[in-house]
Amino acid sequence: MTGNVRISLPQSAKPGEIVRIKTLISHPMHNGFRSDSRGERIPRDIITTFTCHYADRLVFRAELQPGIAANPYLTFSAKIDVSGEFRFTWTDQQGKVVEETRYLAVDV
Amino acid sequence: MCRGVAIGALLVLALVNGCGTEQKWLSAPVVDSAKGSVNSPARVAPKSGLTYQSSDTQQLQQDEFSNPGMLAVDAGERLWRSAPADETPACADCHQSMRGVALRYPKVAHHNGPLENLEQRINRCRSEHQQQPMLAYESSELLALSAYIGQQSNGMQITVQIAPEARTYFEAGKDYYYQRRGQMNLACHHCHELNAGRQLRGDLVSQGHGNGYPAYRLEWQSVGSLQRRLRFCNVGVRAEPHDYGAQEYVNLELYLRWRAAGLTVETPAVRR
């Protein structure tokens, strides 16, 4: 599983503010129905789960299906209360995990 | 399914030819002034392929974060900065900014070599200065490097200068552009000049400029080079595509760059 990841998250926010988070990961998301140039079936290879934890609390979770295009792009929001770490994890069908973290500080 | 469509399309062409009212665009004579001349802009104002995309696709390209082509640019930057082997310089050890470099290719190598495009120049640098095996055309590494270099020229205007030593290649590229080919017997200009802006089944035909390549095509679900797009065009008119890196395509790339003069570089563009 390739680990080429892009994450957009502000470095700081005010308490109570709702921030928008954008994530993009490079992955072929082979749905199992395509074939290569020699006509051989390309086996299914997809990311199955994405989670985002903020200060050790689950704030967003998605289950991905074979119909989702390559390089899945997910965007969501979270309400900020404390300074803490955002932990993003992508898990593929073999159980391989890509994890990225970003720190967000609350303006006092 | 594909074969059915092919036979259907041929039948339609045969019917059009057979009833004696051949459609104008199939037989329209090539007006020489439409081609323009070297170092003078083409007659029709160029329009980027971006203008023929849906608003969703346009937004995807213009948002620097969500543009999926930026994944290749990021990967290219990592390759650029890392040495491929011990005691071997990384690209970044010799080169600084590559802004404007992509605009100068294809060009004739200084020691009397053939016309060379950016991908071939990257590979020559790799073999001459890094002593590494050449990267395969359309490999993710070569695409990443060419996307990274191309992206640095993003927003710069394409110019019309054709160097004297490149003139013969330019003329060959122009001839290729106006040469009919394939079972459909269509030249590039039949679609991209005479019918640009009109509907081809569900799609709008673009003017066929390469200013966004390497580009992320939604159909490919990945970044691809201009030559991959040209091969796709050849297949579309049922002609045998050339191999990657073929001289015909490099010549055509030069002609297309001239044709796109006035447009800005959009690498990595997003196309349907």
Short mmCIF file of all heavy atoms in Angstrom, two decimals, chain A residues 37-90:
data_model
loop_
_atom_site.label_atom_id
_atom_site.label_comp_id
_atom_site.label_asym_id
_atom_site.label_seq_id
_atom_site.Cartn_x
_atom_site.Cartn_y
_atom_site.Cartn_z
N SER A 37 -3.38 -4.68 -19.77
CA SER A 37 -3.24 -4.61 -21.23
C SER A 37 -3.17 -5.99 -21.87
O SER A 37 -3.38 -6.12 -23.07
CB SER A 37 -1.98 -3.81 -21.58
OG SER A 37 -0.86 -4.37 -20.94
N ARG A 38 -2.88 -7.04 -21.08
CA ARG A 38 -2.85 -8.39 -21.65
C ARG A 38 -4.15 -9.15 -21.42
O ARG A 38 -4.25 -10.34 -21.67
CB ARG A 38 -1.68 -9.18 -21.07
CG ARG A 38 -0.34 -8.79 -21.70
CD ARG A 38 0.80 -9.42 -20.97
NE ARG A 38 0.84 -8.96 -19.59
CZ ARG A 38 1.68 -9.41 -18.67
NH1 ARG A 38 2.52 -10.36 -18.96
NH2 ARG A 38 1.67 -8.93 -17.44
N GLY A 39 -5.14 -8.44 -20.88
CA GLY A 39 -6.42 -9.07 -20.67
C GLY A 39 -6.53 -9.84 -19.36
O GLY A 39 -7.54 -10.49 -19.10
N GLU A 40 -5.49 -9.78 -18.53
CA GLU A 40 -5.52 -10.49 -17.25
C GLU A 40 -6.31 -9.66 -16.24
O GLU A 40 -6.14 -8.45 -16.17
CB GLU A 40 -4.09 -10.69 -16.71
CG GLU A 40 -3.10 -11.26 -17.70
CD GLU A 40 -3.03 -12.77 -17.63
OE1 GLU A 40 -3.46 -13.32 -16.61
OE2 GLU A 40 -2.57 -13.38 -18.62
N ARG A 41 -7.11 -10.36 -15.46
CA ARG A 41 -7.91 -9.68 -14.44
C ARG A 41 -7.01 -9.10 -13.36
O ARG A 41 -6.12 -9.81 -12.85
CB ARG A 41 -8.90 -10.71 -13.85
CG ARG A 41 -9.78 -10.21 -12.74
CD ARG A 41 -10.90 -9.30 -13.21
NE ARG A 41 -11.80 -9.86 -14.20
CZ ARG A 41 -12.92 -10.52 -13.91
NH1 ARG A 41 -13.25 -10.76 -12.68
NH2 ARG A 41 -13.71 -10.95 -14.86
N ILE A 42 -7.19 -7.83 -13.02
CA ILE A 42 -6.43 -7.22 -11.92
C ILE A 42 -7.19 -7.51 -10.63
O ILE A 42 -8.36 -7.15 -10.51
CB ILE A 42 -6.30 -5.69 -12.11
CG1 ILE A 42 -5.65 -5.37 -13.46
CG2 ILE A 42 -5.50 -5.06 -10.98
CD1 ILE A 42 -5.70 -3.90 -13.84
N PRO A 43 -6.53 -8.19 -9.66
CA PRO A 43 -7.28 -8.54 -8.45
C PRO A 43 -7.71 -7.31 -7.66
O PRO A 43 -7.10 -6.24 -7.77
CB PRO A 43 -6.28 -9.38 -7.63
CG PRO A 43 -4.96 -9.14 -8.24
CD PRO A 43 -5.15 -8.65 -9.63
N ARG A 44 -8.78 -7.50 -6.89
CA ARG A 44 -9.29 -6.40 -6.09
C ARG A 44 -8.24 -5.94 -5.10
O ARG A 44 -7.57 -6.77 -4.46
CB ARG A 44 -10.55 -6.85 -5.34
CG ARG A 44 -11.37 -5.70 -4.80
CD ARG A 44 -12.52 -6.19 -3.97
NE ARG A 44 -12.13 -6.18 -2.57
CZ ARG A 44 -13.00 -6.03 -1.56
NH1 ARG A 44 -14.28 -5.90 -1.82
NH2 ARG A 44 -12.58 -6.03 -0.32
N ASP A 45 -8.05 -4.65 -4.97
CA ASP A 45 -7.10 -4.10 -4.02
C ASP A 45 -7.63 -2.72 -3.62
O ASP A 45 -7.49 -1.76 -4.37
CB ASP A 45 -5.70 -3.99 -4.67
CG ASP A 45 -4.68 -3.34 -3.74
OD1 ASP A 45 -4.92 -3.29 -2.53
OD2 ASP A 45 -3.64 -2.88 -4.24
N ILE A 46 -8.26 -2.66 -2.47
CA ILE A 46 -8.88 -1.39 -2.06
C ILE A 46 -8.55 -1.05 -0.61
O ILE A 46 -8.18 -1.93 0.18
CB ILE A 46 -10.42 -1.41 -2.22
CG1 ILE A 46 -11.05 -2.48 -1.32
CG2 ILE A 46 -10.83 -1.60 -3.66
CD1 ILE A 46 -12.55 -2.31 -1.14
N ILE A 47 -8.68 0.22 -0.29
CA ILE A 47 -8.67 0.65 1.11
C ILE A 47 -10.07 0.36 1.65
O ILE A 47 -11.06 0.66 0.98
CB ILE A 47 -8.37 2.16 1.21
CG1 ILE A 47 -6.94 2.43 0.73
CG2 ILE A 47 -8.56 2.66 2.64
CD1 ILE A 47 -6.61 3.91 0.64
N THR A 48 -10.15 -0.25 2.81
CA THR A 48 -11.48 -0.59 3.33
C THR A 48 -11.96 0.37 4.41
O THR A 48 -13.16 0.60 4.53
CB THR A 48 -11.49 -2.03 3.90
OG1 THR A 48 -10.38 -2.16 4.78
CG2 THR A 48 -11.39 -3.05 2.78
N THR A 49 -11.02 0.92 5.19
CA THR A 49 -11.45 1.75 6.32
C THR A 49 -10.57 2.99 6.45
O THR A 49 -9.36 2.92 6.26
CB THR A 49 -11.34 0.97 7.65
OG1 THR A 49 -11.87 -0.33 7.45
CG2 THR A 49 -12.11 1.67 8.76
N PHE A 50 -11.23 4.10 6.77
CA PHE A 50 -10.50 5.31 7.11
C PHE A 50 -11.03 5.81 8.44
O PHE A 50 -12.24 5.81 8.66
CB PHE A 50 -10.71 6.39 6.04
CG PHE A 50 -10.24 7.76 6.46
CD1 PHE A 50 -8.89 8.09 6.41
CD2 PHE A 50 -11.13 8.71 6.95
CE1 PHE A 50 -8.45 9.33 6.82
CE2 PHE A 50 -10.69 9.96 7.36
CZ PHE A 50 -9.35 10.27 7.30
N THR A 51 -10.14 6.18 9.35
CA THR A 51 -10.60 6.77 10.61
C THR A 51 -9.81 8.02 10.92
O THR A 51 -8.66 8.17 10.49
CB THR A 51 -10.44 5.81 11.81
OG1 THR A 51 -9.06 5.46 11.93
CG2 THR A 51 -11.27 4.55 11.65
N CYS A 52 -10.43 8.91 11.66
CA CYS A 52 -9.73 10.10 12.16
C CYS A 52 -10.03 10.24 13.65
O CYS A 52 -11.20 10.31 14.05
CB CYS A 52 -10.21 11.34 11.41
SG CYS A 52 -9.52 12.86 12.11
N HIS A 53 -8.97 10.23 14.45
CA HIS A 53 -9.10 10.44 15.90
C HIS A 53 -8.56 11.82 16.23
O HIS A 53 -7.54 12.24 15.69
CB HIS A 53 -8.31 9.39 16.69
CG HIS A 53 -8.92 8.03 16.65
ND1 HIS A 53 -8.77 7.17 15.58
CD2 HIS A 53 -9.70 7.38 17.55
CE1 HIS A 53 -9.43 6.05 15.83
NE2 HIS A 53 -10.00 6.14 17.02
N TYR A 54 -9.26 12.51 17.13
CA TYR A 54 -8.81 13.83 17.60
C TYR A 54 -8.73 13.75 19.11
O TYR A 54 -9.74 13.48 19.78
CB TYR A 54 -9.81 14.88 17.11
CG TYR A 54 -9.77 16.21 17.83
CD1 TYR A 54 -8.57 16.85 18.17
CD2 TYR A 54 -10.97 16.85 18.17
CE1 TYR A 54 -8.56 18.06 18.81
CE2 TYR A 54 -10.97 18.07 18.82
CZ TYR A 54 -9.76 18.67 19.15
OH TYR A 54 -9.76 19.88 19.79
N ALA A 55 -7.53 13.96 19.64
CA ALA A 55 -7.27 13.82 21.08
C ALA A 55 -7.83 12.48 21.58
O ALA A 55 -8.57 12.42 22.57
CB ALA A 55 -7.87 15.00 21.85
N ASP A 56 -7.50 11.43 20.84
CA ASP A 56 -7.88 10.05 21.16
C ASP A 56 -9.39 9.78 21.11
O ASP A 56 -9.84 8.75 21.62
CB ASP A 56 -7.31 9.62 22.52
CG ASP A 56 -5.80 9.47 22.45
OD1 ASP A 56 -5.30 9.07 21.39
OD2 ASP A 56 -5.12 9.79 23.46
N ARG A 57 -10.17 10.67 20.51
CA ARG A 57 -11.59 10.41 20.32
C ARG A 57 -11.85 10.23 18.83
O ARG A 57 -11.32 11.01 18.02
CB ARG A 57 -12.44 11.57 20.84
CG ARG A 57 -12.40 11.75 22.35
CD ARG A 57 -12.96 13.11 22.72
NE ARG A 57 -12.14 14.17 22.16
CZ ARG A 57 -12.40 15.46 22.31
NH1 ARG A 57 -13.47 15.85 22.97
NH2 ARG A 57 -11.62 16.37 21.78
N LEU A 58 -12.66 9.24 18.50
CA LEU A 58 -12.99 9.02 17.09
C LEU A 58 -13.93 10.14 16.63
O LEU A 58 -15.00 10.33 17.21
CB LEU A 58 -13.68 7.66 16.92
CG LEU A 58 -14.04 7.27 15.49
CD1 LEU A 58 -12.80 7.01 14.66
CD2 LEU A 58 -14.93 6.04 15.48
N VAL A 59 -13.50 10.92 15.62
CA VAL A 59 -14.38 11.99 15.14
C VAL A 59 -14.93 11.71 13.75
O VAL A 59 -15.93 12.27 13.34
CB VAL A 59 -13.67 13.36 15.13
CG1 VAL A 59 -13.43 13.84 16.55
CG2 VAL A 59 -12.38 13.32 14.34
N PHE A 60 -14.28 10.81 13.00
CA PHE A 60 -14.80 10.50 11.67
C PHE A 60 -14.32 9.11 11.26
O PHE A 60 -13.19 8.72 11.55
CB PHE A 60 -14.28 11.53 10.65
CG PHE A 60 -14.82 11.31 9.26
CD1 PHE A 60 -16.07 11.79 8.90
CD2 PHE A 60 -14.08 10.61 8.31
CE1 PHE A 60 -16.57 11.58 7.62
CE2 PHE A 60 -14.58 10.40 7.03
CZ PHE A 60 -15.82 10.89 6.69
N ARG A 61 -15.23 8.37 10.62
CA ARG A 61 -14.88 7.02 10.19
C ARG A 61 -15.61 6.76 8.87
O ARG A 61 -16.78 7.14 8.72
CB ARG A 61 -15.33 6.02 11.25
CG ARG A 61 -15.13 4.58 10.88
CD ARG A 61 -15.80 3.70 11.95
NE ARG A 61 -16.19 2.43 11.34
CZ ARG A 61 -15.36 1.40 11.24
NH1 ARG A 61 -14.16 1.47 11.73
NH2 ARG A 61 -15.76 0.30 10.64
N ALA A 62 -14.93 6.13 7.93
CA ALA A 62 -15.58 5.82 6.66
C ALA A 62 -15.22 4.41 6.24
O ALA A 62 -14.08 3.98 6.43
CB ALA A 62 -15.13 6.81 5.59
N GLU A 63 -16.19 3.69 5.69
CA GLU A 63 -15.92 2.39 5.09
C GLU A 63 -15.94 2.56 3.58
O GLU A 63 -16.93 3.04 3.02
CB GLU A 63 -16.95 1.37 5.56
CG GLU A 63 -16.64 0.89 6.95
CD GLU A 63 -17.63 -0.14 7.46
OE1 GLU A 63 -18.37 -0.70 6.63
OE2 GLU A 63 -17.66 -0.33 8.68
N LEU A 64 -14.86 2.17 2.93
CA LEU A 64 -14.75 2.38 1.49
C LEU A 64 -15.10 1.09 0.76
O LEU A 64 -14.79 0.00 1.24
CB LEU A 64 -13.34 2.86 1.12
CG LEU A 64 -13.05 4.31 1.55
CD1 LEU A 64 -12.57 4.38 2.99
CD2 LEU A 64 -12.04 4.94 0.63
N GLN A 65 -15.72 1.24 -0.39
CA GLN A 65 -16.23 0.12 -1.17
C GLN A 65 -15.52 0.08 -2.54
O GLN A 65 -14.88 1.05 -2.93
CB GLN A 65 -17.74 0.27 -1.36
CG GLN A 65 -18.52 0.40 -0.07
CD GLN A 65 -18.52 -0.87 0.75
OE1 GLN A 65 -18.36 -1.97 0.22
NE2 GLN A 65 -18.67 -0.73 2.07
N PRO A 66 -15.66 -1.05 -3.27
CA PRO A 66 -14.93 -1.15 -4.54
C PRO A 66 -15.34 -0.10 -5.58
O PRO A 66 -14.61 0.17 -6.51
CB PRO A 66 -15.29 -2.55 -5.05
CG PRO A 66 -15.72 -3.30 -3.85
CD PRO A 66 -16.33 -2.30 -2.92
N GLY A 67 -16.51 0.50 -5.43
CA GLY A 67 -16.95 1.49 -6.42
C GLY A 67 -16.29 2.85 -6.27
O GLY A 67 -16.55 3.74 -7.07
N ILE A 68 -15.47 3.02 -5.26
CA ILE A 68 -14.84 4.33 -5.02
C ILE A 68 -13.60 4.48 -5.90
O ILE A 68 -12.80 3.56 -6.03
CB ILE A 68 -14.54 4.50 -3.52
CG1 ILE A 68 -15.88 4.62 -2.77
CG2 ILE A 68 -13.67 5.71 -3.26
CD1 ILE A 68 -15.78 4.66 -1.29
N ALA A 69 -13.45 5.67 -6.50
CA ALA A 69 -12.39 5.90 -7.48
C ALA A 69 -11.01 5.87 -6.83
O ALA A 69 -10.88 5.94 -5.60
CB ALA A 69 -12.61 7.25 -8.17
N ALA A 70 -9.99 5.79 -7.67
CA ALA A 70 -8.61 5.80 -7.20
C ALA A 70 -8.31 7.09 -6.45
O ALA A 70 -8.98 8.10 -6.67
CB ALA A 70 -7.66 5.65 -8.39
N ASN A 71 -7.30 7.04 -5.59
CA ASN A 71 -6.85 8.20 -4.82
C ASN A 71 -8.00 8.82 -4.02
O ASN A 71 -8.39 9.96 -4.27
CB ASN A 71 -6.22 9.26 -5.73
CG ASN A 71 -5.14 8.67 -6.61
OD1 ASN A 71 -4.37 7.83 -6.16
ND2 ASN A 71 -5.10 9.06 -7.86
N PRO A 72 -8.57 8.07 -3.06
CA PRO A 72 -9.76 8.57 -2.36
C PRO A 72 -9.51 9.91 -1.66
O PRO A 72 -8.50 10.09 -0.99
CB PRO A 72 -10.05 7.49 -1.32
CG PRO A 72 -9.29 6.30 -1.73
CD PRO A 72 -8.17 6.75 -2.61
N TYR A 73 -10.45 10.80 -1.87
CA TYR A 73 -10.41 12.16 -1.32
C TYR A 73 -11.57 12.27 -0.35
O TYR A 73 -12.72 12.14 -0.74
CB TYR A 73 -10.53 13.15 -2.48
CG TYR A 73 -10.78 14.59 -2.09
CD1 TYR A 73 -9.94 15.25 -1.21
CD2 TYR A 73 -11.86 15.29 -2.62
CE1 TYR A 73 -10.16 16.56 -0.87
CE2 TYR A 73 -12.09 16.61 -2.30
CZ TYR A 73 -11.24 17.25 -1.41
OH TYR A 73 -11.46 18.56 -1.09
N LEU A 74 -11.28 12.49 0.93
CA LEU A 74 -12.33 12.59 1.94
C LEU A 74 -12.22 13.93 2.64
O LEU A 74 -11.13 14.37 3.00
CB LEU A 74 -12.19 11.46 2.98
CG LEU A 74 -12.45 10.04 2.46
CD1 LEU A 74 -12.02 9.02 3.49
CD2 LEU A 74 -13.91 9.86 2.11
N THR A 75 -13.37 14.57 2.84
CA THR A 75 -13.36 15.84 3.55
C THR A 75 -14.48 15.84 4.57
O THR A 75 -15.56 15.30 4.33
CB THR A 75 -13.45 17.03 2.55
OG1 THR A 75 -13.56 18.23 3.29
CG2 THR A 75 -14.61 16.90 1.60
N PHE A 76 -14.19 16.38 5.75
CA PHE A 76 -15.15 16.36 6.85
C PHE A 76 -14.77 17.50 7.81
O PHE A 76 -13.80 18.20 7.59
CB PHE A 76 -15.13 15.00 7.56
CG PHE A 76 -13.76 14.52 7.96
CD1 PHE A 76 -13.24 14.80 9.21
CD2 PHE A 76 -12.97 13.82 7.06
CE1 PHE A 76 -11.97 14.37 9.57
CE2 PHE A 76 -11.70 13.40 7.40
CZ PHE A 76 -11.20 13.67 8.65
N SER A 77 -15.58 17.67 8.87
CA SER A 77 -15.32 18.75 9.82
C SER A 77 -15.23 18.19 11.23
O SER A 77 -15.74 17.10 11.51
CB SER A 77 -16.42 19.81 9.80
OG SER A 77 -17.12 19.77 8.62
N ALA A 78 -14.62 18.97 12.11
CA ALA A 78 -14.56 18.59 13.52
C ALA A 78 -14.66 19.85 14.36
O ALA A 78 -14.17 20.92 13.96
CB ALA A 78 -13.26 17.86 13.83
N LYS A 79 -15.33 19.73 15.50
CA LYS A 79 -15.45 20.87 16.41
C LYS A 79 -14.29 20.82 17.39
O LYS A 79 -14.01 19.80 18.00
CB LYS A 79 -16.79 20.78 17.17
CG LYS A 79 -17.14 22.05 17.89
CD LYS A 79 -18.54 21.94 18.46
CE LYS A 79 -18.91 23.22 19.20
NZ LYS A 79 -20.25 23.13 19.79
N ILE A 80 -13.61 21.95 17.54
CA ILE A 80 -12.37 22.00 18.31
C ILE A 80 -12.66 22.44 19.74
O ILE A 80 -13.37 23.42 19.98
CB ILE A 80 -11.38 23.00 17.64
CG1 ILE A 80 -11.08 22.55 16.21
CG2 ILE A 80 -10.11 23.15 18.46
CD1 ILE A 80 -10.57 21.15 16.09
N ASP A 81 -12.15 21.69 20.74
CA ASP A 81 -12.25 22.14 22.12
C ASP A 81 -10.88 22.20 22.82
O ASP A 81 -10.61 23.15 23.54
CB ASP A 81 -13.25 21.28 22.93
CG ASP A 81 -13.05 19.79 22.71
OD1 ASP A 81 -12.02 19.40 22.14
OD2 ASP A 81 -13.92 19.01 23.12
N VAL A 82 -10.04 21.20 22.61
CA VAL A 82 -8.73 21.21 23.28
C VAL A 82 -7.61 21.10 22.25
O VAL A 82 -7.82 20.64 21.13
CB VAL A 82 -8.59 20.02 24.28
CG1 VAL A 82 -9.53 20.19 25.44
CG2 VAL A 82 -8.82 18.69 23.57
N SER A 83 -6.41 21.52 22.65
CA SER A 83 -5.23 21.28 21.80
C SER A 83 -4.98 19.78 21.77
O SER A 83 -5.09 19.11 22.79
CB SER A 83 -4.00 21.97 22.40
OG SER A 83 -4.17 23.36 22.39
N GLY A 84 -4.65 19.26 20.63
CA GLY A 84 -4.42 17.81 20.59
C GLY A 84 -3.99 17.35 19.22
O GLY A 84 -3.87 18.13 18.27
N GLU A 85 -3.78 16.05 19.16
CA GLU A 85 -3.26 15.44 17.96
C GLU A 85 -4.41 14.85 17.13
O GLU A 85 -5.28 14.18 17.68
CB GLU A 85 -2.28 14.34 18.36
CG GLU A 85 -1.43 13.85 17.23
CD GLU A 85 -0.42 12.81 17.72
OE1 GLU A 85 -0.84 11.70 18.09
OE2 GLU A 85 0.77 13.12 17.73
N PHE A 86 -4.36 15.10 15.82
CA PHE A 86 -5.25 14.41 14.88
C PHE A 86 -4.50 13.21 14.34
O PHE A 86 -3.36 13.34 13.87
CB PHE A 86 -5.65 15.34 13.74
CG PHE A 86 -6.83 16.20 14.05
CD1 PHE A 86 -6.65 17.42 14.70
CD2 PHE A 86 -8.12 15.81 13.71
CE1 PHE A 86 -7.74 18.23 14.99
CE2 PHE A 86 -9.20 16.61 14.00
CZ PHE A 86 -9.03 17.82 14.65
N ARG A 87 -5.11 12.03 14.42
CA ARG A 87 -4.48 10.82 13.91
C ARG A 87 -5.35 10.25 12.79
O ARG A 87 -6.52 9.95 13.00
CB ARG A 87 -4.31 9.79 15.04
CG ARG A 87 -3.38 8.67 14.69
CD ARG A 87 -3.04 7.81 15.90
NE ARG A 87 -4.15 6.91 16.25
CZ ARG A 87 -4.86 7.01 17.37
NH1 ARG A 87 -4.61 7.94 18.26
NH2 ARG A 87 -5.84 6.16 17.60
N PHE A 88 -4.75 10.17 11.61
CA PHE A 88 -5.48 9.69 10.43
C PHE A 88 -4.97 8.29 10.09
O PHE A 88 -3.75 8.09 9.99
CB PHE A 88 -5.24 10.60 9.23
CG PHE A 88 -5.58 12.05 9.50
CD1 PHE A 88 -4.61 12.93 10.00
CD2 PHE A 88 -6.85 12.53 9.26
CE1 PHE A 88 -4.92 14.26 10.24
CE2 PHE A 88 -7.16 13.87 9.49
CZ PHE A 88 -6.19 14.73 10.00
N THR A 89 -5.86 7.33 9.90
CA THR A 89 -5.40 5.98 9.52
C THR A 89 -6.22 5.46 8.35
O THR A 89 -7.45 5.58 8.31
CB THR A 89 -5.53 4.97 10.69
OG1 THR A 89 -6.86 5.04 11.19
CG2 THR A 89 -4.55 5.23 11.80
N TRP A 90 -5.49 4.89 7.41
CA TRP A 90 -6.10 4.22 6.27
C TRP A 90 -5.72 2.74 6.37
O TRP A 90 -4.54 2.42 6.54
CB TRP A 90 -5.56 4.75 4.95
CG TRP A 90 -5.96 6.16 4.60
CD1 TRP A 90 -6.95 6.55 3.75
CD2 TRP A 90 -5.33 7.38 5.04
NE1 TRP A 90 -6.98 7.92 3.64
CE2 TRP A 90 -6.01 8.45 4.42
CE3 TRP A 90 -4.26 7.67 5.90
CZ2 TRP A 90 -5.66 9.79 4.62
CZ3 TRP A 90 -3.91 8.99 6.11
CH2 TRP A 90 -4.61 10.03 5.48
#
